Each structure stands twice: as C-alpha cells, then as structure tokens.
C-alpha cells in the first residue's frame, strides 16, 4: 500500500525547497521499492490570506489521514508576527502530539569555510543531535498578557519529561556514545524537576555515559569544542532547544544545512527545515534546499524505518557538496550556485 505524504509548501522560500524535498522522496522511494503519494495541503500565511485560517479545518482533516508530513517554512511579513507561528507551526506540533523535535547537527565535509569557527576546532568534525522537548515548557501557551505584566508558564509535567527523556536515552543507547542534558537547574524549579528525572533515569541506564550541563555553559563550551568526542546526544527543553539549535546551525555553516523532525512515535510525524520562510530571498532561486532534503532523510529514517534510504540521501548531499556546489549561504566568498543546481546534483547522486 502506498504511503501518503501530506505536503505543506508554506510561505516565502517554502515552495522552492519543498519541491526539492518531494523530488528527493520520489527518487529515494524508487530506489527502495516504496510507493509514495503526495497530497498538497494549504497551511500557513498564504492559507490565512486565502481561507481566513492559518490551519484550515479541511487541511487538518487531510493531514490526519497521512503517514507523514513534509512541511516547508511559514510566515509572511504582511501578517503580524506570532499568528502563523502559534496557529500554524505550534498548532501542528501540538495537534499531532509530536513531542520530540529531533535536530541533527552535522558538519558536512568541505563546509569548514562556511563555519565561523576556526578549522582547528573543526578537525574532528561536528556530529551531534539535539533532542528538543516539543510540547510543553515555555511553549505550553499558558500565561497571559496585560498592559502591565506578562507571564508564560514554564510547564513541565511528569509525563512530558519522562517521554522525552526516554526517547533520548533510547537514541543514546543506539548511538552508543554519551547523553548530555541541558537545563538551568541552578535557577528554575522546572529545570530542577527535569534534572531529578534525568538523574533517576541515568541511574537505571548505567551503560550510557550521562551528564548535565547548564544551558549558558553549554552555549560557551560547544563553541570552544564542538567535536563528537564531547557531544553526541543532547536532550533539552523546548525553549533551550530552540535557541541552541540555531547556535548549532551556525557552527555547521548555515541554517540552510539544518534539518528537523517533529516526531510522535505512535502517530503522524512531520519533518521540516529549521530555517524560516526568508521572504527577502523568496523567488530568487538561491535558497539552500539541503535542510529540506536532509529533513526528508529524517522522514525515511524515523517515520518509515528506512535507515538505508536516509543514508542514501545523506550520501547524495555529500556528493553534491563534493562537486563544489554551494548555495550563497554556504559559499563563504566562493562562487555560488542556485537552488536548482544544488537539487539536481543531489538527485544525480541519488542513484
Ligand atoms: C523553530 C522555530 C519555531 C519554534 C517558531 C517559528 C514557532 O523557531 O522551529 O525553531 O520556536 O519552535
Ligand atoms: Mn527556532
């Protein structure tokens, strides 16, 4: 039976990167004997202008019937900031119970010049994965705003913390190196609660090398030494995960190289590039499609259990980079290529 992929093109550069995502999934599925069908579903700023809702009911209904979702970035400068974020991106994650936000951080060979870090610091590579809690914390959407004060409740529940930590321990077990939890337990009760749960779980997993790091210190240390000897699986809460994922993207050269997967291990998961809709470069044909293409690899690995096809996609990305192709965000002063040149090169290598 065919696997059904819901496709949200999103706004700005969304349609440009998503079309390369679809082509990648098609090519990989041909290689791997998978049958895929795609259904485009309007969600986002453009959907808001057209249908009066960021996430129209029909779209939600269609997405419920899918096996996985490929989502482009969303947000438009002509719509007040926050509307698309809350009613689109966060609503999707919440609705589908996607409590894991997986953000691999990998420096591809040849992209050292695109990183702001010295070559010396990159010689062992960079290859870790951020496991970001994706359903509560400061994103619980509890709180309020008046003229005189505002609150955001940093909600951590036993169930919410346990399930994300269990996922992180499982991943750390698979990768076999170490697990670092990032929090702010010296100040926040919510972090202290998290750390206690983490420490308890660490005790029952003596085979995994576990430690905790305060978030400010993590931000410093990862710049001083981003190597795989130090960082492998990093688990953290929603807000800290958001922030450290962008810092990590800079280390590996660009947000344009940063994929993500919003996972509900028992439900409908959704992959998306970490970057936004970048309206300033939309329609120019220069956006980096690799974050979306690499997100499709995550779909193969985590939604369809096809590690073989994920590796093929990732190897094809390395192949395109080895040819010297660089979109402007990773060109580091060298000649840049277009979105399509990069996408075509990946497909050539996906054989
Ligand atoms: C991300 C984004 C979103 C987040 C915003 C746009 C709601 O920054 O995916 O990292 O904060 O999670
Ligand atoms: Mn973010």
């Amino acid at each position: 039976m065919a696997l059904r992929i819901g496709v949200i093109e999103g706004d700005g550069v969304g349609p440009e990167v998503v079309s390369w995502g679809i082509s990648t999934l098609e090519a990989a599925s041909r290689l791997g004997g998978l049958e895929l069908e795609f259904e485009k579903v309007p969600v986002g700023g453009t959907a808001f202008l057209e249908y009066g809702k960021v996430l129209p009911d029909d779209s939600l209904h269609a997405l419920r019937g899918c096996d996985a979702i490929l989502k482009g970035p969303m947000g438009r400068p002509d719509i007040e900031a926050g509307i698309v974020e809350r009613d689109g991106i966060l609503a999707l994650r919440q609705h589908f119970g996607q409590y894991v936000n997986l953000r691999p951080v990998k420096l591809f060979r040849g992209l050292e010049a695109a990183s702001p870090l010295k070559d010396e610091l990159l010689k062992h590579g960079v290859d870790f994965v951020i496991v970001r809690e994706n359903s509560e914390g400061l994103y619980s959407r509890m709180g309020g705003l008046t003229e005189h004060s505002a609150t955001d409740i940093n909600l951590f529940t036993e169930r919410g913390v346990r399930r994300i930590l269990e996922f992180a321990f499982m991943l750390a077990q698979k990768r076999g190196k170490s697990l670092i939890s990032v929090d702010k337990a010296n100040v926040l009760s919510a972090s202290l609660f998290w750390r206690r749960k983490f420490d308890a779980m660490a005790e029952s997993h003596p085979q995994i090398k576990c430690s905790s790091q305060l978030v400010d210190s993590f931000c410093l240390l990862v710049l001083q030494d981003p190597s795989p000897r130090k960082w492998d699986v990093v688990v953290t809460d929603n807000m800290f995960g958001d922030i450290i994922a962008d810092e990590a993207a800079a280390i590996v050269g660009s947000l344009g190289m940063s994929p993500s997967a919003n996972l509900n291990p028992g439900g409908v998961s959704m992959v998306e590039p970490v970057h936004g809709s970048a309206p300033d470069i939309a329609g120019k044909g220069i956006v980096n499609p690799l974050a979306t293409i690499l997100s499709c690899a995550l779909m193969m690995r985590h939604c369809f259990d096809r590690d073989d096809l994920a590796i093929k996609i990732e190897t094809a990305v390395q192949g395109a980079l080895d040819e010297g192709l660089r979109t402007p965000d990773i060109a580091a002063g060298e000649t840049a290529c277009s979105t399509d040149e990069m996408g075509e090169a990946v497909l050539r290598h996906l054989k």
Side-chain angles (χ1 to χ4, degrees), residues 93 101 103 132 139 238-239 241-246 255 274-276:
R93 292 175 186 167
N101 191 319
R103 299 192 156 183
R132 170 187 176 189
Y139 285 66
N238 213 334
M239 188 76 258
D242 179 45
I243 298 167
I244 69 177
D246 274 32
L255 269 174
V274 175
H275 65 73

Side-chain angles (χ1 to χ4, degrees), residues 26-314:
E26 280 174 334
S29 65
R30 273 194 300 273
L31 289 178
L34 280 183
E35 202 188 322
L36 302 184
E37 55 189 37
F38 297 89
E39 178 173 1
K40 283 197 183 161
V41 173
V43 184
T46 308
F48 179 66
L49 296 181
E50 205 161 314
Y51 306 99
K53 263 185 136 176
V54 177
L55 178 50
D57 298 343
D58 289 349
S59 297
L60 197 52
H61 182 77
L63 292 170
R64 274 194 208 118
C66 292
D67 295 291
I69 302 168
L70 166 60
K71 175 193 161 294
M74 48 181 71
R76 292 176 55 121
D78 53 356
I79 297 179
E80 192 192 324
I83 294 181
V84 172
E85 288 84 343
R86 281 191 301 268
D87 298 348
I89 305 170
L90 301 180
L92 284 167
R93 292 175 186 167
Q94 292 276 356
H95 181 86
F96 288 105
Q98 295 156 347
Y99 64 87
V100 181
N101 191 319
L102 205 61
R103 299 192 156 183
V105 179
K106 184 177 146 81
L107 178 67
F108 279 79
R109 186 171 63 236
L111 288 194
E112 291 77 7
S115 170
L117 296 190
K118 295 188 192 88
D119 282 353
E120 166 71 14
L121 294 176
L122 301 172
K123 65 177 184 235
H124 303 290
V126 179
D127 186 4
F128 62 93
V129 50
I130 297 169
V131 178
R132 170 187 176 189
E133 202 291 319
N134 209 32
S135 65
E136 44 185 44
L138 282 172
Y139 285 66
S140 69
R141 299 169 81 180
M142 293 162 75
L145 172 67
T146 71
E147 213 181 310
H148 304 292
S149 71
T151 49
D152 293 286
I153 292 179
N154 196 13
L155 174 75
F156 283 43
T157 66
E158 171 117 53
R159 168 173 174 263
V161 173
R162 191 188 311 112
R163 65 186 182 180
I164 192 68
L165 292 178
E166 276 169 358
F167 185 93
F169 274 89
M170 186 200 65
L171 190 64
Q173 176 82 47
K174 244 189 234 166
R175 289 176 59 114
K177 286 199 192 138
S178 67
L179 174 61
I180 296 178
S181 165
V182 170
D183 65 31
K184 187 71 182 173
N186 54 349
V187 176
L188 305 175
S189 328
S191 276
L192 188 56
F193 178 81
W194 168 286
R195 189 176 291 208
R196 286 179 180 158
K197 304 283 172 214
F198 178 75
D199 288 346
M201 224 180 265
E203 254 180 56
S204 57
H205 292 78
Q207 72 284 14
I208 300 175
K209 204 176 133 226
C210 294
S211 58
S212 284
Q213 198 82 67
L214 296 171
V215 63
D216 47 352
S217 156
F218 171 85
C219 289
L220 175 92
L221 295 174
V222 76
L223 293 179
Q224 291 176 335
D225 180 3
S227 83
R229 294 175 308 185
K230 247 187 118 120
W231 314 104
D232 188 39
V233 179
V234 175
V235 63
T236 191
D237 75 30
N238 213 334
M239 188 76 258
F240 298 152
D242 179 45
I243 298 167
I244 69 177
D246 274 32
E247 184 192 18
I251 293 174
V252 297
S254 170
L255 269 174
M257 295 303 300
S258 301
S260 78
N262 301 276
L263 303 176
N264 173 349
V268 183
S269 297
M270 173 173 84
V271 304
E272 61 179 335
V274 175
H275 65 73
S277 58
D280 53 322
I281 58 162
K284 294 191 174 158
I286 55 168
V287 61
N288 188 344
L290 295 181
T292 301
I293 289 173
L294 291 167
S295 300
C296 291
L298 297 181
M299 183 188 285
M300 288 298 182
R301 174 172 295 125
H302 297 283
C303 305
F304 302 145
D305 205 19
R306 290 299 299 262
D307 203 45
D308 58 328
L309 297 181
I311 291 171
K312 283 206 161 83
I313 295 170
E314 288 156 354

Side-chain angles (χ1 to χ4, degrees), residues 335-347:
T335 316
C337 73
S338 68
T339 306
D340 288 351
E341 284 167 329
M342 184 65 95
E344 278 153 17
V346 172
L347 288 199

